[in-house]
């Protein structure tokens, strides 16, 4: 197991390298320079002052050199400094990472639970009304533009009913609350974003669970179990579920980057202080070190997620041996 | 065989519903110049933000343009974005998948490493970055969505190809001395076309959704060209006092994407050789 | 501060919300005892973007400037009538030739950590502004300084290489504490932790910054200009305008700058809010590339000026909440020349002029031609500014009526600047300039400013204007300066390098419990100019402090 893990970790390296290289390449497409946002159309700034800034940012060198420099620094876990405010990129990311992970973890858990419940029940009752309704429901969730749904729910629950806060992660008096109140406060703020994220991300997993469950239900051992006279519920939850779980776990790993990528929209509309917004602002202001940092971080998280999925896979299926 | 598929199709309510909706929508888009009561770009500043009425079925927008006409024209734009993006992704993904699966060895491992790298990237992040850096316009939106959403299909086609390439009919074709492209496109491709068709159908809906998300961030199809995404984004800013401006484009996107998904899902069932009856 | 103003004003069109606290000595009127001003309550503002540096030397974005304006003071500031008065400086003298400035500083000023403020701090601030390693966007305002001399801890003398009138305004920049930075230079200064935890002299003390969530400030009880009444100030970051408005309707923010549509929305949306409306110091324009073969010809530009109906633009884009423009100055300012007559809307005359210039619709397709080529051009503007996109769409329709085909291209800001503006790679553009209180517009209109990346990107050249602009920067006599800039106004208007479109109005709302918001001349440059004098009557406090008061 340990040697397998080590091997897997080794294969992560070229992937990470490839991802950073790709990010860097894409950034070379960009005509804008990060000094734009500070300097442009600011009539009080002279040309010389602008060139000075470009030089300070080290943007006058050819890009392969810039990439090499970046890699050298990365080997020391130094992601460089943000062009926007000169703060270390790693700090900027770490500040926002917990909020993003929290949102994604909660949504993913909710998606996982709901998808399995819906998928399994739908498979067991294939063709029945429940199957059809849930099919429609999960696809409705998938098909609705997220920011529109978010805004509608904010108006409904925030403004009209007044039950939930509209945006943000914490109330303004957060510091004055005790631990329980703090948790309650954050929970209230998280309810809408997590629900919207779960609802819109449910389809793939729910449908996948259903189809892999159907496949399992056709297998011989299930027929045997049924023939033995086991109760249907027992057949499904005890025997079929475990085997259907395996492909679901793999898909979960693949969903990670999509979820984190989707954060751009959620964080912007919910004024949620996470990594997606940092990334979007970095794109718009050409903050290369931050972009590289986020690219690397997200890729790393995804690879880690895949690794984790593989290991869960092994736990769920004892037939898989590590070579 | 075909008869069986048609029979299954008619039995599948969702697929039937999806295809009918798409058919009607495509006709509307195709014949939009004959349907719309107003030119989609025609402004009438005296009639801005009118609520739905007999004159303006779905009301007017912030420049007094008829929302109904804009949505009908927008269906052209949004469907085009969907179809073009999917065509690119399908062509590219199928090609890579076929080549990778058929030739194997280093070609396969190189291509699949690239796919692995792309799969670790949040697609939306990639799209945003490239579009922001190039220039947001309809052409770039289509191309970039297309070139970032082929990876899943490539993997799928590769897997299918692998399972077919040692089969008798391929080996026979080889021994007959058929050229590689011929084997790839005339013998392998038809056998992997079912999953490609399903993935393409689902892809159209997805591309329409991605365009609307891009529009929300200001990087989608740019006005005055009406896409559902940018009409909805404009509507979002008026959601407090002109509900129709976001409701109708929102529903357009919702139903269209839903239709493509239900159709795709239906096709999967219908074309699946394992599914009974 | 003044310099911050200007910086902020250039970005104001994109971000919307700006409040600063400029100080003024007008005591709030006192009423009955229950409505006595409380030293209590919280003011909650929102912004689309987060701040970058809480350091006035480094910051240039509007969010940072809003906070810096409350935490720091400059040597001078503008008063309600837009005249420069002392802030950290008690008084100053300017030599006759305009080359020597002497500032006498206030002696009772303390930094928020209790240390005394002295001339050393001013010198340190200046040194960082001209430090080549410091990433300041403000350095060009100080390039003409020859030397800064300290005469004693509270007196300093600034020597200039040549007379430069906007120099005084430039000393409005926030002064930073030398002792906190421990004399840091260059890179060390750029990355100093104090850029995130500022210590200033201003009416508000920095308390907390939660990235992408909020920045919180607290009243400075020892503020030299009097303790501010509002005990806390919270700057919330809400990136989406529709959500921001939702928060306003939910009464969870105390202020917001409205769009014209929001201003006209149902009155019940504004229960408990007071709406304001006054001119904003900015204008939107349509600029021509004067090197373009079509637009080189003045007659064509004139024809276009007659083809645009500014009234309709103001009505449609701003719902009438604005004013059509005739030149590069604000109507309220002393540099504005009210004798300049706007071009009359007259499509007939326009067509006639175009015909004179050789443009005719011979093939009857609705588009004019000359030498077999259609009159077709592309108007560009930046993505993310709805007002400009709307303006473009309306102009497109207006020009269609005189037979001109105009295409619209909307490009993301950074690309727009780099690829199109800087390289003069455009035919026509819609953009805006924010105005600063000083009328010096040398960088925009002087013919020496046409290099790539400079601001005369339309390539305007008029030797008479050049001479006037040079003179304007050197003339300290206000009356003479007034004449100079009024002439500039007339000349620039007549040459039509831009079609000056309109001045949008500023439309803030403030929760009604706040007493003190006042619309004066300075408000055009920032509504919260007297924020440190605002208060909430005791019986109306909404967020009482929990700690004993």
């Amino acid at each position: 197991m340990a040697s397998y893990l080590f091997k897997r970790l080794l294969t992560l390296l070229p992937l990470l390298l490839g991802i950073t290289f790709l990010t860097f390449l894409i950034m070379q497409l960009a005509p804008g320079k990060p000094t734009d946002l500070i300097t442009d159309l600011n009539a009080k700034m002279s040309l010389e002052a602008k060139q000075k800034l470009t030089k300070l940012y080290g943007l006058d060198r050819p890009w392969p050199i810039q990439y090499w420099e970046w890699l050298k620094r990365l080997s020391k876990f130094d992601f460089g400094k943000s062009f926007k405010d000169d703060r270390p990129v790693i700090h900027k990311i770490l500040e926002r990472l917990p909020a993003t992970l929290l949102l994604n973890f909660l949504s993913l858990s909710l998606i996982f639970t709901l998808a399995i419940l819906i998928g399994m029940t739908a498979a067991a009752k294939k063709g029945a009304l429940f199957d059809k309704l849930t099919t429609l429901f999960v696809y409705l969730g998938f098909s609705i533009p997220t920011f529109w749904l978010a805004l509608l729910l904010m108006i409904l629950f925030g403004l009209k009913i007044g039950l939930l806060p509209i945006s943000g992660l914490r109330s303004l008096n957060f510091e004055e609350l005790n631990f329980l109140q703090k948790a309650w406060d954050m929970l209230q703020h998280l309810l809408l974003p997590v629900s919207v994220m779960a609802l819109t991300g449910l389809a793939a997993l729910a449908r996948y669970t259903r189809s892999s469950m159907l496949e399992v239900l056709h297998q011989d051992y299930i027929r045997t179990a049924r023939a033995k006279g086991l109760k249907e519920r027992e057949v499904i939850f005890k025997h079929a579920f475990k085997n259907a779980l395996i492909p679901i776990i793999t898909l979960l790993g693949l969903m990670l980057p999509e979820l984190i990528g989707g954060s751009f929209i959620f964080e912007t509309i919910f004024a949620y202080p996470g990594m997606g917004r940092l990334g979007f602002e970095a794109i718009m202001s050409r903050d290369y070190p931050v972009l590289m940092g986020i690219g690397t971080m997200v890729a790393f998280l995804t690879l880690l997620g895949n690794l984790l999925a593989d290991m869960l896979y092994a736990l769920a299926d004892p037939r898989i041996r590590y070579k | 065989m075909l008869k069986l598929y048609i029979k299954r199709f008619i039995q599948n309510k969702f697929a039937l519903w999806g295809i009918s909706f798409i058919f009607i929508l495509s006709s509307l888009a195709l014949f939009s110049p004959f349907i719309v009561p107003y030119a989609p770009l025609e402004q009438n500043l005296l009639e801005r933000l009118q609520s739905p009425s007999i004159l303006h079925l779905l009301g007017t927008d912030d420049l007094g343009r008829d929302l109904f006409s804009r949505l009908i024209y927008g269906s052209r734009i949004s469907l085009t974005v969907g179809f073009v993006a999917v065509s690119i992704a399908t062509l590219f993904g199928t090609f890579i998948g076929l080549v990778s699966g058929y030739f194997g060895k280093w070609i396969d491992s190189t291509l699949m490493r690239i796919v692995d790298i792309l799969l670790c990237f949040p697609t939306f992040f990639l799209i945003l970055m490239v579009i922001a850096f190039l220039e947001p316009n309809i052409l770039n939106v289509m191309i970039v969505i297309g070139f970032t959403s082929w990876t899943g299909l490539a993997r799928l086609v590769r897997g299918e190809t692998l399972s077919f390439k040692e089969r008798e009919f391929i080996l026979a074709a080889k021994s007959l001395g058929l050229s590689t492209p011929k084997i790839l496109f005339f013998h392998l491709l038809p056998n992997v076309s079912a999953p490609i068709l399903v993935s393409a159908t689902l892809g159209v809906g997805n591309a329409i959704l991605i365009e609307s998300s891009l529009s929300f961030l200001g990087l989608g199809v740019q006005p005055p060209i009406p896409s559902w995404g940018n009409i909805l984004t404009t509507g979002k800013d008026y959601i407090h006092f002109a509900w129709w401006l976001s409701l109708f484009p929102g529903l357009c996107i919702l139903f269209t994407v839903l239709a493509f998904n239900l159709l795709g899902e239906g096709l999967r069932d219908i074309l699946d050789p394992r599914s009974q009856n | 501060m003044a310099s911050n103003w200007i910086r902020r004003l250039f970005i104001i069109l994109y971000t919307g919300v700006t409040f600063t606290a400029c100080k003024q000595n007008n005591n709030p009127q006192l009423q009955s005892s229950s409505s006595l001003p409380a030293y209590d309550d919280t003011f909650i503002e929102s912004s689309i973007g987060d701040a970058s540096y809480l350091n006035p030397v480094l910051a240039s974005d509007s969010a940072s400037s809003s906070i810096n304006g409350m935490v720091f003071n400059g040597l001078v500031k503008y008063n309600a009538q837009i005249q420069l008065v002392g802030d950290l400086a008690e008084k100053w003298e300017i030599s006759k030739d305009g080359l020597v400035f002497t500032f006498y500083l206030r002696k009772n000023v303390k930094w928020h950590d209790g240390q005394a403020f002295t001339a050393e701090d001013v010198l340190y601030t200046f040194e960082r502004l001209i430090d080549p390693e410091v990433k300041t966007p403000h350095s060009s305002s100080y390039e003409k300084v020859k030397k800064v001399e300290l005469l004693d801890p509270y007196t300093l003398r600034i020597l200039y290489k040549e007379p430069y009138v906007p120099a005084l305004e430039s000393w409005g920049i926030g002064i930073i504490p030398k002792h906190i930075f421990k004399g840091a230079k260059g890179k060390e200064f750029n990355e100093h932790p104090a850029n995130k935890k500022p210590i200033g002299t201003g009416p508000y003390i920095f308390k907390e910054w939660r990235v992408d969530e909020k920045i919180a400030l607290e009243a400075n009880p020892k503020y030299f200009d009097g303790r501010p009444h509002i005990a806390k100030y919270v700057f919330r970051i809400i990136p989406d305008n529709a959500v921001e408005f939702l928060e306003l309707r939910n009464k969870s923010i105390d202020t917001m700058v409205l769009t014209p549509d929001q201003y006209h929305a149902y009155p019940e949306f504004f229960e408990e809010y007071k709406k304001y409306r006054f001119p904003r110091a900015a204008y939107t324009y349509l600029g021509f590339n004067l090197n373009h073969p079509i637009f080189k010809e003045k007659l064509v530009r004139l024809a276009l000026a007659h083809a645009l109906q500014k009234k309709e633009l103001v009505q449609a884009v701003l719902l009438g909440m604005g004013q059509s423009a005739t030149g590069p100055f604000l109507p309220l300012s002393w540099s504005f020349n009210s004798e300049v007559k706007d071009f009359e809307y007259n499509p007939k005359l326009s067509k006639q002029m175009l015909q004179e210039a050789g443009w005719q619709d011979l093939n009857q397709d609705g588009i004019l031609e000359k030498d077999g080529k259609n009159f077709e051009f592309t108007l560009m503007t930046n993505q993310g500014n709805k007002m400009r996109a709307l303006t473009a769409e309306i102009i497109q329709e207006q020009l269609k009526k005189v037979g001109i085909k105009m295409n619209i291209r909307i490009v993301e800001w950074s690309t727009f600047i780099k690829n199109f503006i800087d390289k003069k790679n455009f035919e026509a553009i819609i953009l805006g300039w924010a105005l600063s209180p000083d009328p010096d517009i040398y960088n925009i209109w002087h013919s020496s400013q046409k290099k790539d990346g400079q601001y005369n990107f339309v390539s305007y050249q008029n030797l008479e204007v050049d001479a006037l602009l040079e003179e304007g920067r050197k003339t300290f006599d206000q009356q003479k300066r007034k004449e100079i800039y009024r002439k500039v106004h007339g000349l620039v208007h007549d040459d039509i390098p831009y079609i000056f479109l309109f001045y949008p109005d500023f439309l803030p709302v403030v929760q009604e419990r706040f007493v003190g918001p006042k619309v004066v001349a300075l408000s055009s440059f920032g509504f919260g100019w007297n924020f440190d004098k605002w208060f909430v009557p005791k019986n109306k406090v909404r967020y009482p402090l929990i700690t004993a008061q």
Side-chain angles (χ1 to χ4, degrees), chain C residues 63-191:
Chain C
S64 305
S65 305
S66 294
I67 303 294
N68 289 337
M70 313 198 44
V71 176
F72 295 94
N73 295 91
L75 294 184
V76 295
K77 66 178 180 186
Y78 281 102
N79 68 6
Q81 290 76 42
I82 322 190
Q83 275 147 359
L84 284 166
V85 295
D87 197 3
L88 285 174
E90 219 155 23
K91 56 178 180 167
W92 64 86
E93 288 154 8
I94 301 173
S95 66
K96 268 246 166 77
D97 56 7
L99 292 175
V100 183
F101 287 53
T102 314
F103 286 102
Y104 302 91
L105 306 181
R106 281 176 188 263
K107 294 195 175 94
N108 57 348
V109 179
K110 295 265 191 298
W111 292 101
H112 293 155
D113 64 351
Q115 294 266 341
F117 156 78
T118 68
E120 288 277 352
D121 297 311
V122 183
L123 180 63
Y124 179 70
T125 305
F126 168 71
E127 283 166 351
R128 297 292 72 75
L129 282 164
I130 55 159
D131 185 339
E133 301 272 294
V134 165
K135 288 181 187 169
T136 174
H138 309 295
S139 58
S140 23
S141 300
Y142 306 90
E143 279 161 0
K144 293 188 168 61
V145 177
K146 193 156 83 187
K147 205 172 161 197
V148 175
E149 293 172 346
L150 301 191
L151 302 183
D152 66 55
Y154 294 100
T155 316
L156 78 163
R157 184 187 284 159
I158 299 165
L159 308 173
Y160 276 84
K161 293 174 202 158
E162 53 184 278
Y164 179 52
V165 185
L168 185 58
E169 182 190 73
S170 76
W171 290 103
I173 192 155
I175 301 299
I176 51 171
K178 184 180 182 183
H179 69 278
I180 293 291
F181 286 92
K182 300 208 171 67
K185 285 179 196 158
K187 204 169 172 259
E188 209 186 316
F189 178 79
N190 296 334
E191 295 164 7

Side-chain angles (χ1 to χ4, degrees), chain A residues 31 36 39-40 42-46 50 57 81 84 86-87 96 167 170 175-176 277 286, chain C residues 7 53 135 140 143 191 208 210 212-213 236-237 247 412 414-415 417-419 443 453 455 546:
Chain A
D36 289 349
T39 60
D40 281 301
N42 174 343
K44 298 271 155 166
M45 181 156 194
S46 68
K50 259 176 148 178
Y57 284 128
K81 303 234 159 73
K84 187 188 170 197
D86 267 299
R87 296 190 49 232
R96 293 161 173 89
S167 67
R170 287 173 264 250
E175 279 76 27
E176 294 151 15
R277 255 165 82 197
R286 311 283 189 260
Chain C
R7 221 68 53 191
Y53 299 97
K135 288 181 187 169
S140 23
E143 279 161 0
E191 295 164 7
E208 187 196 14
R210 269 189 196 273
D212 283 346
E213 271 189 271
R236 271 192 69 182
I237 293 118
E247 293 278 12
E412 185 263 323
S414 192
T415 312
I417 298 303
K418 207 90 241 157
N419 279 15
N443 288 342
Y455 304 110
I546 290 180

Side-chain angles (χ1 to χ4, degrees), chain A residues 98-113:
Chain A
T100 299
L101 286 181
L102 181 67
L103 181 63
N104 280 292
F105 176 75
L106 289 178
S107 314
L108 211 55
S109 314
L110 192 60
I111 289 177
F112 193 70
T113 321

